[in-house]
Amino acid sequence: MQKLEVFGAFKLKGQVRISGSKNASLPILAGSLLSNKKIVLKNLPKVKDIETMLSLLKSLGSKIKISDNQVTIDNSNQNKKFASYNLVKTMRAGILVLGPLLAKFGYAKVSLPGGCAIGTRPIDIHLKALSKLGVKFKIYNGYVIAKASKGLIGNTIKFPKLSVGATENLIIAACLAKGTTFLLNCAIEPEIKDLVNFLIKTGCKIKWVAKRKIKITGVSELKETNYSVMFDRIEAGTYLVAAAVTEGKIKIQNIKPDIINTELNILKKIGSKITIKKNEVQITGSKQIKSLKIKTAPYPGFPTDLQAQLMVLLCKANKNSIIQENIFENRFMHVAELNRMGAKILTRGNKAIIKGGINFAPAELMATDLRASVSLILAALTAKGKSVINRIYHLDRGYENIESKLRKVGAKIRRLN
Ligand code: EPZ
């Protein structure tokens, strides 16, 4: 099992180029199943989850060609409708192939994704909404067996609560449904907008008719498409926090700053100095970090995927802070490990009370989920001495070349086999 060795404490200085978004790439790759024409995707991040999704597409019969900066997908002979457990279990977003397979074939057998460290991750909202398009399904042997004998029929569907994955699955499914579909109470994360922009480019008829309402008119023919995926806003936020927590000075490049407005305003409030340019942001961390009371929320609120990273920063604030996690039921797995480094964080239900004024001590650590593992690196960067982080396969699911990007800005970090 690989591990990371980090020597702190050094101020990070320099430039970081942000990779493509994992959470935009995954639904776009699933959406590519709708088309029988050649699709070329650029700026896909080189991370494990993308490799897994490409393997899943190959298992469904897609022909995939990977070159250095692009992936070419040919689904002209894609005819399999079975997404196996061994692929979906490691990457829950595999459930996103359910919508396109049903749209194309009226049948799909997809492994239930199962839970993960941060929560049970049910898919009831996906299934209930798909049934409104005429899908009948049963759960058997850990699989969803879904059928739409007359094909998908457009309908008006209101999601009972905001769900990124369910919104994505339904948008993709409705693109080939007969007639028109209105989806209400949609999640509006930037990755969903990126998915919609991609689908429109392939010839799908999609229009945002209100903030959380989308109109989709089914089509039958799609076009050859070239598309470049948006930047990873969570990776960008992670490096912004890395600069803030090490009192460093970093330029984050290849981003659209307006998409991370909420995060930038929070970092300014905490005391970081932020300069915004067209496709980059420069951040200078301050000695004085102000405490905060904050809740995670669906976009445009503060993203749950940055909660663990912000918690590390708030450990160094001048007073106590509170973070309330409103999206997932078990997303404080990083707290125990941070407390082993000297943090004093108390969790009460979905609230974490974070004592300020902490100096992290180095330690041997265990990663538990993707974003928790990166928070351990952030803490280790500020701890004087050597820390070792185990089970970094969690990290490799969503951060491209993290140790080389950090080394480039002065971190003393290396991967040990
Ligand atoms: C997406 O997960 C992201 N994953 C997550 O990022 C992100 O944290 C999450 O959205 C929230 O922004 C990808 O895009 C691949 P949801 P998703 O459906 O779609 C409950 C990362 O670190 N729910 O918006 O699974 C669910 O349990 C990952 O990159 C139901 O109850 O999130 C959760 O509590 C982690 N029933 C809440 O809704 C359902 O049918 C939000 O989930 C679906 C979801």
mmCIF file of all heavy atoms in Angstrom, residues 22-24 26-27 49 91-93 96 118-127 161-166 168 187 189 191 233-234 297-298 303-305 326-329 331 369-371, ligand 1:
data_model
loop_
_atom_site.group_PDB
_atom_site.id
_atom_site.type_symbol
_atom_site.label_atom_id
_atom_site.label_comp_id
_atom_site.label_asym_id
_atom_site.label_seq_id
_atom_site.Cartn_x
_atom_site.Cartn_y
_atom_site.Cartn_z
ATOM 1 N N LYS A 22 -13.131 16.296 -11.899
ATOM 2 C CA LYS A 22 -13.547 14.880 -11.785
ATOM 3 C C LYS A 22 -15.076 14.824 -11.826
ATOM 4 O O LYS A 22 -15.657 14.020 -12.552
ATOM 5 C CB LYS A 22 -13.042 14.312 -10.467
ATOM 6 C CG LYS A 22 -13.715 13.016 -10.036
ATOM 7 C CD LYS A 22 -13.183 12.473 -8.746
ATOM 8 C CE LYS A 22 -13.851 13.008 -7.525
ATOM 9 N NZ LYS A 22 -15.143 12.415 -7.172
ATOM 10 N N ASN A 23 -15.734 15.722 -11.086
ATOM 11 C CA ASN A 23 -17.189 15.620 -10.941
ATOM 12 C C ASN A 23 -17.987 16.190 -12.104
ATOM 13 O O ASN A 23 -19.207 16.052 -12.121
ATOM 14 C CB ASN A 23 -17.627 16.249 -9.611
ATOM 15 C CG ASN A 23 -17.176 15.397 -8.433
ATOM 16 O OD1 ASN A 23 -16.672 14.276 -8.626
ATOM 17 N ND2 ASN A 23 -17.313 15.905 -7.231
ATOM 18 N N ALA A 24 -17.271 16.794 -13.063
ATOM 19 C CA ALA A 24 -17.924 17.131 -14.351
ATOM 20 C C ALA A 24 -17.624 16.016 -15.355
ATOM 21 O O ALA A 24 -18.472 15.603 -16.144
ATOM 22 C CB ALA A 24 -17.410 18.466 -14.882
ATOM 23 N N LEU A 26 -17.139 12.798 -14.863
ATOM 24 C CA LEU A 26 -17.864 11.531 -14.660
ATOM 25 C C LEU A 26 -19.251 11.553 -15.312
ATOM 26 O O LEU A 26 -19.572 10.650 -16.102
ATOM 27 C CB LEU A 26 -17.936 11.208 -13.164
ATOM 28 C CG LEU A 26 -16.582 10.847 -12.544
ATOM 29 C CD1 LEU A 26 -16.679 10.779 -11.019
ATOM 30 C CD2 LEU A 26 -16.032 9.531 -13.096
ATOM 31 N N PRO A 27 -20.101 12.569 -15.059
ATOM 32 C CA PRO A 27 -21.405 12.561 -15.750
ATOM 33 C C PRO A 27 -21.269 12.762 -17.262
ATOM 34 O O PRO A 27 -22.061 12.243 -18.041
ATOM 35 C CB PRO A 27 -22.170 13.704 -15.091
ATOM 36 C CG PRO A 27 -21.165 14.562 -14.427
ATOM 37 C CD PRO A 27 -20.014 13.671 -14.073
ATOM 38 N N ASP A 49 -10.727 7.689 -10.464
ATOM 39 C CA ASP A 49 -12.168 7.590 -10.758
ATOM 40 C C ASP A 49 -12.443 7.699 -12.256
ATOM 41 O O ASP A 49 -13.379 7.073 -12.765
ATOM 42 C CB ASP A 49 -12.947 8.685 -10.007
ATOM 43 C CG ASP A 49 -13.338 8.224 -8.608
ATOM 44 O OD1 ASP A 49 -12.873 7.141 -8.177
ATOM 45 O OD2 ASP A 49 -14.110 8.945 -7.951
ATOM 46 N N MET A 91 -16.486 3.130 -7.349
ATOM 47 C CA MET A 91 -16.736 4.495 -7.819
ATOM 48 C C MET A 91 -18.253 4.673 -7.979
ATOM 49 O O MET A 91 -18.833 4.294 -8.984
ATOM 50 C CB MET A 91 -15.995 4.673 -9.144
ATOM 51 C CG MET A 91 -15.749 6.065 -9.561
ATOM 52 S SD MET A 91 -16.939 6.607 -10.763
ATOM 53 C CE MET A 91 -17.000 5.246 -11.861
ATOM 54 N N ARG A 92 -18.864 5.248 -6.957
ATOM 55 C CA ARG A 92 -20.325 5.303 -6.862
ATOM 56 C C ARG A 92 -20.971 5.982 -8.056
ATOM 57 O O ARG A 92 -22.113 5.715 -8.378
ATOM 58 C CB ARG A 92 -20.718 6.097 -5.614
ATOM 59 C CG ARG A 92 -20.318 5.510 -4.325
ATOM 60 C CD ARG A 92 -20.921 6.319 -3.239
ATOM 61 N NE ARG A 92 -22.350 6.310 -3.389
ATOM 62 C CZ ARG A 92 -23.049 7.186 -4.102
ATOM 63 N NH1 ARG A 92 -22.416 8.124 -4.768
ATOM 64 N NH2 ARG A 92 -24.353 7.114 -4.198
ATOM 65 N N ALA A 93 -20.186 6.835 -8.716
ATOM 66 C CA ALA A 93 -20.779 7.575 -9.850
ATOM 67 C C ALA A 93 -21.076 6.629 -11.015
ATOM 68 O O ALA A 93 -21.680 7.022 -11.996
ATOM 69 C CB ALA A 93 -19.823 8.682 -10.296
ATOM 70 N N LEU A 96 -24.390 6.532 -12.697
ATOM 71 C CA LEU A 96 -24.774 7.514 -13.725
ATOM 72 C C LEU A 96 -24.916 6.892 -15.110
ATOM 73 O O LEU A 96 -25.394 7.543 -16.029
ATOM 74 C CB LEU A 96 -23.753 8.664 -13.764
ATOM 75 C CG LEU A 96 -23.717 9.565 -12.530
ATOM 76 C CD1 LEU A 96 -22.593 10.593 -12.645
ATOM 77 C CD2 LEU A 96 -25.052 10.274 -12.315
ATOM 78 N N ILE A 118 -18.462 8.278 3.765
ATOM 79 C CA ILE A 118 -19.133 9.521 4.198
ATOM 80 C C ILE A 118 -20.638 9.351 4.340
ATOM 81 O O ILE A 118 -21.332 10.252 4.799
ATOM 82 C CB ILE A 118 -18.830 10.696 3.243
ATOM 83 C CG1 ILE A 118 -19.346 10.431 1.831
ATOM 84 C CG2 ILE A 118 -17.348 10.992 3.223
ATOM 85 C CD1 ILE A 118 -19.129 11.620 0.894
ATOM 86 N N GLY A 119 -21.164 8.187 3.887
ATOM 87 C CA GLY A 119 -22.612 8.040 4.068
ATOM 88 C C GLY A 119 -23.171 6.847 3.326
ATOM 89 O O GLY A 119 -22.467 6.191 2.564
ATOM 90 N N THR A 120 -24.469 6.598 3.513
ATOM 91 C CA THR A 120 -25.087 5.409 2.903
ATOM 92 C C THR A 120 -25.275 5.603 1.399
ATOM 93 O O THR A 120 -25.393 4.663 0.650
ATOM 94 C CB THR A 120 -26.487 5.165 3.515
ATOM 95 O OG1 THR A 120 -27.199 6.418 3.409
ATOM 96 C CG2 THR A 120 -26.395 4.757 4.978
ATOM 97 N N ARG A 121 -25.322 6.832 0.962
ATOM 98 C CA ARG A 121 -25.393 7.171 -0.466
ATOM 99 C C ARG A 121 -26.527 6.433 -1.196
ATOM 100 O O ARG A 121 -26.300 5.666 -2.125
ATOM 101 C CB ARG A 121 -24.052 6.907 -1.153
ATOM 102 C CG ARG A 121 -22.830 7.399 -0.420
ATOM 103 C CD ARG A 121 -22.735 8.908 -0.272
ATOM 104 N NE ARG A 121 -22.545 9.617 -1.505
ATOM 105 C CZ ARG A 121 -21.357 9.865 -2.064
ATOM 106 N NH1 ARG A 121 -20.285 9.399 -1.506
ATOM 107 N NH2 ARG A 121 -21.276 10.531 -3.185
ATOM 108 N N PRO A 122 -27.764 6.588 -0.755
ATOM 109 C CA PRO A 122 -28.872 5.903 -1.435
ATOM 110 C C PRO A 122 -29.119 6.462 -2.834
ATOM 111 O O PRO A 122 -28.589 7.523 -3.184
ATOM 112 C CB PRO A 122 -30.061 6.207 -0.526
ATOM 113 C CG PRO A 122 -29.705 7.470 0.156
ATOM 114 C CD PRO A 122 -28.209 7.471 0.315
ATOM 115 N N ILE A 123 -29.925 5.754 -3.636
ATOM 116 C CA ILE A 123 -30.247 6.278 -4.979
ATOM 117 C C ILE A 123 -31.768 6.313 -5.190
ATOM 118 O O ILE A 123 -32.268 6.285 -6.319
ATOM 119 C CB ILE A 123 -29.591 5.417 -6.094
ATOM 120 C CG1 ILE A 123 -30.007 3.946 -5.976
ATOM 121 C CG2 ILE A 123 -28.081 5.559 -6.082
ATOM 122 C CD1 ILE A 123 -29.699 3.133 -7.224
ATOM 123 N N ASP A 124 -32.510 6.412 -4.074
ATOM 124 C CA ASP A 124 -33.982 6.416 -4.159
ATOM 125 C C ASP A 124 -34.516 7.560 -5.013
ATOM 126 O O ASP A 124 -35.461 7.388 -5.796
ATOM 127 C CB ASP A 124 -34.594 6.475 -2.754
ATOM 128 C CG ASP A 124 -34.050 7.655 -1.954
ATOM 129 O OD1 ASP A 124 -32.829 7.853 -1.940
ATOM 130 O OD2 ASP A 124 -34.849 8.401 -1.367
ATOM 131 N N ILE A 125 -33.850 8.714 -4.955
ATOM 132 C CA ILE A 125 -34.337 9.866 -5.741
ATOM 133 C C ILE A 125 -34.133 9.602 -7.236
ATOM 134 O O ILE A 125 -35.014 9.870 -8.056
ATOM 135 C CB ILE A 125 -33.623 11.169 -5.308
ATOM 136 C CG1 ILE A 125 -33.863 11.439 -3.820
ATOM 137 C CG2 ILE A 125 -34.100 12.352 -6.152
ATOM 138 C CD1 ILE A 125 -33.082 12.617 -3.271
ATOM 139 N N HIS A 126 -32.995 8.980 -7.580
ATOM 140 C CA HIS A 126 -32.744 8.624 -8.991
ATOM 141 C C HIS A 126 -33.872 7.715 -9.485
ATOM 142 O O HIS A 126 -34.462 7.939 -10.531
ATOM 143 C CB HIS A 126 -31.436 7.831 -9.134
ATOM 144 C CG HIS A 126 -30.188 8.515 -8.719
ATOM 145 N ND1 HIS A 126 -29.113 8.712 -9.552
ATOM 146 C CD2 HIS A 126 -29.787 9.020 -7.513
ATOM 147 C CE1 HIS A 126 -28.124 9.318 -8.910
ATOM 148 N NE2 HIS A 126 -28.514 9.510 -7.672
ATOM 149 N N LEU A 127 -34.148 6.647 -8.702
ATOM 150 C CA LEU A 127 -35.065 5.592 -9.168
ATOM 151 C C LEU A 127 -36.493 6.101 -9.260
ATOM 152 O O LEU A 127 -37.194 5.868 -10.243
ATOM 153 C CB LEU A 127 -34.968 4.357 -8.266
ATOM 154 C CG LEU A 127 -33.574 3.709 -8.201
ATOM 155 C CD1 LEU A 127 -33.581 2.494 -7.281
ATOM 156 C CD2 LEU A 127 -33.072 3.319 -9.590
ATOM 157 N N LYS A 161 -35.708 16.468 -3.094
ATOM 158 C CA LYS A 161 -34.623 17.230 -2.442
ATOM 159 C C LYS A 161 -33.493 17.380 -3.452
ATOM 160 O O LYS A 161 -33.448 16.665 -4.455
ATOM 161 C CB LYS A 161 -34.131 16.566 -1.150
ATOM 162 C CG LYS A 161 -33.302 15.322 -1.336
ATOM 163 C CD LYS A 161 -32.851 14.743 0.007
ATOM 164 C CE LYS A 161 -31.417 15.118 0.297
ATOM 165 N NZ LYS A 161 -30.826 14.361 1.411
ATOM 166 N N LEU A 162 -32.593 18.295 -3.207
ATOM 167 C CA LEU A 162 -31.520 18.546 -4.181
ATOM 168 C C LEU A 162 -30.555 17.363 -4.190
ATOM 169 O O LEU A 162 -30.034 16.964 -3.156
ATOM 170 C CB LEU A 162 -30.772 19.833 -3.808
ATOM 171 C CG LEU A 162 -31.613 21.107 -3.836
ATOM 172 C CD1 LEU A 162 -30.757 22.318 -3.485
ATOM 173 C CD2 LEU A 162 -32.274 21.306 -5.200
ATOM 174 N N SER A 163 -30.352 16.814 -5.391
ATOM 175 C CA SER A 163 -29.385 15.720 -5.543
ATOM 176 C C SER A 163 -28.611 15.925 -6.837
ATOM 177 O O SER A 163 -29.192 15.951 -7.924
ATOM 178 C CB SER A 163 -30.112 14.362 -5.613
ATOM 179 O OG SER A 163 -29.245 13.386 -6.188
ATOM 180 N N VAL A 164 -27.292 16.036 -6.711
ATOM 181 C CA VAL A 164 -26.438 16.244 -7.904
ATOM 182 C C VAL A 164 -26.571 15.046 -8.842
ATOM 183 O O VAL A 164 -26.918 15.201 -10.022
ATOM 184 C CB VAL A 164 -24.965 16.432 -7.476
ATOM 185 C CG1 VAL A 164 -24.032 16.424 -8.678
ATOM 186 C CG2 VAL A 164 -24.806 17.728 -6.678
ATOM 187 N N GLY A 165 -26.366 13.846 -8.311
ATOM 188 C CA GLY A 165 -26.375 12.644 -9.165
ATOM 189 C C GLY A 165 -27.725 12.384 -9.791
ATOM 190 O O GLY A 165 -27.819 12.045 -10.976
ATOM 191 N N ALA A 166 -28.791 12.563 -9.010
ATOM 192 C CA ALA A 166 -30.133 12.290 -9.558
ATOM 193 C C ALA A 166 -30.460 13.292 -10.667
ATOM 194 O O ALA A 166 -30.998 12.914 -11.722
ATOM 195 C CB ALA A 166 -31.174 12.366 -8.449
ATOM 196 N N GLU A 168 -28.317 14.738 -12.614
ATOM 197 C CA GLU A 168 -27.494 14.359 -13.784
ATOM 198 C C GLU A 168 -28.088 13.148 -14.498
ATOM 199 O O GLU A 168 -28.244 13.129 -15.723
ATOM 200 C CB GLU A 168 -26.053 14.077 -13.339
ATOM 201 C CG GLU A 168 -25.329 15.338 -12.892
ATOM 202 C CD GLU A 168 -24.034 15.075 -12.145
ATOM 203 O OE1 GLU A 168 -23.816 13.938 -11.629
ATOM 204 O OE2 GLU A 168 -23.227 16.021 -12.033
ATOM 205 N N ALA A 187 -30.532 20.266 -8.794
ATOM 206 C CA ALA A 187 -29.245 20.763 -8.278
ATOM 207 C C ALA A 187 -28.626 21.594 -9.407
ATOM 208 O O ALA A 187 -28.873 21.325 -10.591
ATOM 209 C CB ALA A 187 -28.346 19.589 -7.910
ATOM 210 N N GLU A 189 -25.132 22.608 -9.442
ATOM 211 C CA GLU A 189 -23.670 22.660 -9.316
ATOM 212 C C GLU A 189 -23.051 22.981 -10.682
ATOM 213 O O GLU A 189 -23.622 22.580 -11.720
ATOM 214 C CB GLU A 189 -23.164 21.319 -8.793
ATOM 215 C CG GLU A 189 -23.053 21.205 -7.276
ATOM 216 C CD GLU A 189 -24.385 21.335 -6.536
ATOM 217 O OE1 GLU A 189 -25.448 21.362 -7.176
ATOM 218 O OE2 GLU A 189 -24.367 21.453 -5.294
ATOM 219 N N GLU A 191 -20.782 21.641 -12.240
ATOM 220 C CA GLU A 191 -20.507 20.412 -12.995
ATOM 221 C C GLU A 191 -21.757 19.981 -13.768
ATOM 222 O O GLU A 191 -21.658 19.397 -14.840
ATOM 223 C CB GLU A 191 -20.044 19.306 -12.039
ATOM 224 C CG GLU A 191 -18.704 19.585 -11.341
ATOM 225 C CD GLU A 191 -18.816 20.600 -10.203
ATOM 226 O OE1 GLU A 191 -19.925 20.818 -9.671
ATOM 227 O OE2 GLU A 191 -17.772 21.192 -9.871
ATOM 228 N N ARG A 233 -13.153 22.739 -9.350
ATOM 229 C CA ARG A 233 -13.274 23.825 -8.356
ATOM 230 C C ARG A 233 -12.903 23.357 -6.956
ATOM 231 O O ARG A 233 -12.499 24.145 -6.115
ATOM 232 C CB ARG A 233 -14.677 24.418 -8.370
ATOM 233 C CG ARG A 233 -15.763 23.435 -7.947
ATOM 234 C CD ARG A 233 -17.146 24.032 -8.134
ATOM 235 N NE ARG A 233 -18.149 23.002 -8.002
ATOM 236 C CZ ARG A 233 -18.937 22.836 -6.938
ATOM 237 N NH1 ARG A 233 -18.881 23.696 -5.943
ATOM 238 N NH2 ARG A 233 -19.796 21.844 -6.866
ATOM 239 N N ILE A 234 -13.001 22.029 -6.697
ATOM 240 C CA ILE A 234 -12.656 21.509 -5.360
ATOM 241 C C ILE A 234 -11.141 21.412 -5.252
ATOM 242 O O ILE A 234 -10.541 21.731 -4.228
ATOM 243 C CB ILE A 234 -13.337 20.164 -5.084
ATOM 244 C CG1 ILE A 234 -14.854 20.274 -5.255
ATOM 245 C CG2 ILE A 234 -12.950 19.635 -3.696
ATOM 246 C CD1 ILE A 234 -15.539 21.305 -4.365
ATOM 247 N N ALA A 297 -23.569 23.569 2.127
ATOM 248 C CA ALA A 297 -24.880 23.670 1.461
ATOM 249 C C ALA A 297 -24.713 23.368 -0.020
ATOM 250 O O ALA A 297 -23.593 23.456 -0.549
ATOM 251 C CB ALA A 297 -25.431 25.080 1.642
ATOM 252 N N PRO A 298 -25.818 23.027 -0.684
ATOM 253 C CA PRO A 298 -25.747 22.843 -2.135
ATOM 254 C C PRO A 298 -25.297 24.136 -2.807
ATOM 255 O O PRO A 298 -25.434 25.218 -2.226
ATOM 256 C CB PRO A 298 -27.185 22.494 -2.522
ATOM 257 C CG PRO A 298 -27.820 22.002 -1.261
ATOM 258 C CD PRO A 298 -27.159 22.732 -0.138
ATOM 259 N N PRO A 303 -19.268 24.380 -0.360
ATOM 260 C CA PRO A 303 -19.346 22.969 -0.758
ATOM 261 C C PRO A 303 -18.894 21.981 0.309
ATOM 262 O O PRO A 303 -17.845 22.171 0.929
ATOM 263 C CB PRO A 303 -18.421 22.886 -1.977
ATOM 264 C CG PRO A 303 -17.534 24.056 -1.911
ATOM 265 C CD PRO A 303 -18.234 25.110 -1.125
ATOM 266 N N THR A 304 -19.654 20.927 0.496
ATOM 267 C CA THR A 304 -19.290 19.862 1.439
ATOM 268 C C THR A 304 -17.925 19.271 1.091
ATOM 269 O O THR A 304 -17.189 18.844 1.976
ATOM 270 C CB THR A 304 -20.368 18.749 1.448
ATOM 271 O OG1 THR A 304 -19.922 17.657 2.263
ATOM 272 C CG2 THR A 304 -20.683 18.225 0.066
ATOM 273 N N ASP A 305 -17.539 19.300 -0.190
ATOM 274 C CA ASP A 305 -16.263 18.695 -0.586
ATOM 275 C C ASP A 305 -15.061 19.516 -0.136
ATOM 276 O O ASP A 305 -13.927 19.076 -0.292
ATOM 277 C CB ASP A 305 -16.209 18.517 -2.110
ATOM 278 C CG ASP A 305 -17.210 17.480 -2.567
ATOM 279 O OD1 ASP A 305 -17.756 16.766 -1.708
ATOM 280 O OD2 ASP A 305 -17.469 17.399 -3.785
ATOM 281 N N ASN A 326 -24.234 19.682 6.352
ATOM 282 C CA ASN A 326 -25.664 19.478 6.054
ATOM 283 C C ASN A 326 -25.927 18.507 4.913
ATOM 284 O O ASN A 326 -27.078 18.252 4.578
ATOM 285 C CB ASN A 326 -26.308 20.832 5.703
ATOM 286 C CG ASN A 326 -26.417 21.715 6.935
ATOM 287 O OD1 ASN A 326 -26.532 21.201 8.056
ATOM 288 N ND2 ASN A 326 -26.319 23.013 6.750
ATOM 289 N N ILE A 327 -24.881 18.025 4.234
ATOM 290 C CA ILE A 327 -25.121 17.206 3.046
ATOM 291 C C ILE A 327 -24.993 15.713 3.327
ATOM 292 O O ILE A 327 -25.877 14.937 2.985
ATOM 293 C CB ILE A 327 -24.152 17.603 1.894
ATOM 294 C CG1 ILE A 327 -24.190 19.110 1.625
ATOM 295 C CG2 ILE A 327 -24.432 16.781 0.639
ATOM 296 C CD1 ILE A 327 -25.506 19.635 1.071
ATOM 297 N N PHE A 328 -23.905 15.308 3.984
ATOM 298 C CA PHE A 328 -23.692 13.877 4.250
ATOM 299 C C PHE A 328 -23.718 13.603 5.746
ATOM 300 O O PHE A 328 -23.295 14.438 6.543
ATOM 301 C CB PHE A 328 -22.345 13.416 3.663
ATOM 302 C CG PHE A 328 -22.351 13.367 2.158
ATOM 303 C CD1 PHE A 328 -21.677 14.308 1.423
ATOM 304 C CD2 PHE A 328 -23.090 12.394 1.495
ATOM 305 C CE1 PHE A 328 -21.710 14.291 0.038
ATOM 306 C CE2 PHE A 328 -23.124 12.366 0.105
ATOM 307 C CZ PHE A 328 -22.428 13.310 -0.616
ATOM 308 N N GLU A 329 -24.186 12.389 6.080
ATOM 309 C CA GLU A 329 -24.413 12.073 7.497
ATOM 310 C C GLU A 329 -23.148 11.657 8.241
ATOM 311 O O GLU A 329 -23.142 11.579 9.445
ATOM 312 C CB GLU A 329 -25.501 11.008 7.637
ATOM 313 C CG GLU A 329 -25.170 9.603 7.140
ATOM 314 C CD GLU A 329 -25.576 9.378 5.680
ATOM 315 O OE1 GLU A 329 -25.562 10.353 4.895
ATOM 316 O OE2 GLU A 329 -25.859 8.228 5.330
ATOM 317 N N ARG A 331 -19.572 12.802 7.530
ATOM 318 C CA ARG A 331 -18.433 13.381 6.824
ATOM 319 C C ARG A 331 -17.464 14.065 7.793
ATOM 320 O O ARG A 331 -16.861 15.081 7.472
ATOM 321 C CB ARG A 331 -18.906 14.338 5.730
ATOM 322 C CG ARG A 331 -17.823 14.500 4.690
ATOM 323 C CD ARG A 331 -18.259 15.134 3.416
ATOM 324 N NE ARG A 331 -17.263 14.843 2.392
ATOM 325 C CZ ARG A 331 -17.375 15.187 1.117
ATOM 326 N NH1 ARG A 331 -18.444 15.847 0.712
ATOM 327 N NH2 ARG A 331 -16.447 14.888 0.252
ATOM 328 N N ASP A 369 -11.373 8.897 3.335
ATOM 329 C CA ASP A 369 -12.114 9.160 2.105
ATOM 330 C C ASP A 369 -11.391 10.272 1.354
ATOM 331 O O ASP A 369 -10.475 10.893 1.891
ATOM 332 C CB ASP A 369 -13.584 9.531 2.393
ATOM 333 C CG ASP A 369 -13.709 10.783 3.247
ATOM 334 O OD1 ASP A 369 -13.711 10.659 4.482
ATOM 335 O OD2 ASP A 369 -13.762 11.900 2.675
ATOM 336 N N LEU A 370 -11.800 10.516 0.152
ATOM 337 C CA LEU A 370 -11.048 11.406 -0.746
ATOM 338 C C LEU A 370 -10.716 12.758 -0.122
ATOM 339 O O LEU A 370 -9.558 13.158 -0.025
ATOM 340 C CB LEU A 370 -11.877 11.599 -2.019
ATOM 341 C CG LEU A 370 -11.429 12.640 -3.018
ATOM 342 C CD1 LEU A 370 -10.022 12.399 -3.476
ATOM 343 C CD2 LEU A 370 -12.388 12.662 -4.211
ATOM 344 N N ARG A 371 -11.705 13.458 0.379
ATOM 345 C CA ARG A 371 -11.450 14.833 0.834
ATOM 346 C C ARG A 371 -10.826 14.830 2.237
ATOM 347 O O ARG A 371 -10.045 15.697 2.578
ATOM 348 C CB ARG A 371 -12.734 15.663 0.823
ATOM 349 C CG ARG A 371 -13.480 15.633 -0.492
ATOM 350 C CD ARG A 371 -12.651 16.087 -1.677
ATOM 351 N NE ARG A 371 -13.398 15.915 -2.934
ATOM 352 C CZ ARG A 371 -12.914 16.172 -4.131
ATOM 353 N NH1 ARG A 371 -11.660 16.569 -4.250
ATOM 354 N NH2 ARG A 371 -13.607 15.993 -5.219
HETATM 355 C C1 EPZ B 1 -21.995 14.436 -5.799
HETATM 356 O O1 EPZ B 1 -22.338 13.258 -5.101
HETATM 357 C C2 EPZ B 1 -20.477 14.485 -5.806
HETATM 358 N N1 EPZ B 1 -19.951 13.330 -6.518
HETATM 359 C C3 EPZ B 1 -19.932 14.493 -4.374
HETATM 360 O O2 EPZ B 1 -18.523 14.603 -4.442
HETATM 361 C C4 EPZ B 1 -20.496 15.733 -3.670
HETATM 362 O O3 EPZ B 1 -20.056 15.738 -2.338
HETATM 363 C C5 EPZ B 1 -22.030 15.686 -3.721
HETATM 364 O O4 EPZ B 1 -22.475 15.595 -5.106
HETATM 365 C C6 EPZ B 1 -22.660 16.925 -3.097
HETATM 366 O O5 EPZ B 1 -22.218 18.078 -3.778
HETATM 367 C C7 EPZ B 1 -19.900 13.374 -7.869
HETATM 368 O O6 EPZ B 1 -20.303 14.346 -8.490
HETATM 369 C C8 EPZ B 1 -19.328 12.168 -8.552
HETATM 370 P P1 EPZ B 1 -26.085 14.073 -3.966
HETATM 371 P P2 EPZ B 1 -23.873 12.713 -5.149
HETATM 372 O O7 EPZ B 1 -26.933 13.137 -4.749
HETATM 373 O O8 EPZ B 1 -24.454 12.972 -6.480
HETATM 374 C C9 EPZ B 1 -28.694 12.140 -0.508
HETATM 375 C C10 EPZ B 1 -16.307 14.010 -4.005
HETATM 376 O O9 EPZ B 1 -15.653 14.114 -2.966
HETATM 377 N N2 EPZ B 1 -29.339 11.360 -1.587
HETATM 378 O O10 EPZ B 1 -26.198 15.548 -4.230
HETATM 379 O O11 EPZ B 1 -23.882 11.335 -4.616
HETATM 380 C C11 EPZ B 1 -27.235 11.770 -0.332
HETATM 381 O O12 EPZ B 1 -27.108 10.644 0.507
HETATM 382 C C12 EPZ B 1 -17.731 13.518 -3.947
HETATM 383 O O13 EPZ B 1 -15.896 14.325 -5.157
HETATM 384 C C13 EPZ B 1 -30.473 10.608 -1.282
HETATM 385 O O14 EPZ B 1 -30.927 10.574 -0.152
HETATM 386 O O15 EPZ B 1 -24.547 13.687 -4.081
HETATM 387 C C14 EPZ B 1 -26.648 13.005 0.293
HETATM 388 O O16 EPZ B 1 -26.908 13.002 1.678
HETATM 389 C C15 EPZ B 1 -18.114 13.070 -2.546
HETATM 390 N N3 EPZ B 1 -31.052 9.880 -2.279
HETATM 391 C C16 EPZ B 1 -27.441 14.141 -0.368
HETATM 392 O O17 EPZ B 1 -28.644 13.534 -0.875
HETATM 393 C C17 EPZ B 1 -30.565 9.881 -3.568
HETATM 394 O O18 EPZ B 1 -31.175 9.219 -4.441
HETATM 395 C C18 EPZ B 1 -26.718 14.789 -1.519
HETATM 396 O O19 EPZ B 1 -26.335 13.771 -2.413
HETATM 397 C C19 EPZ B 1 -29.429 10.659 -3.839
HETATM 398 C C20 EPZ B 1 -28.823 11.397 -2.850
#
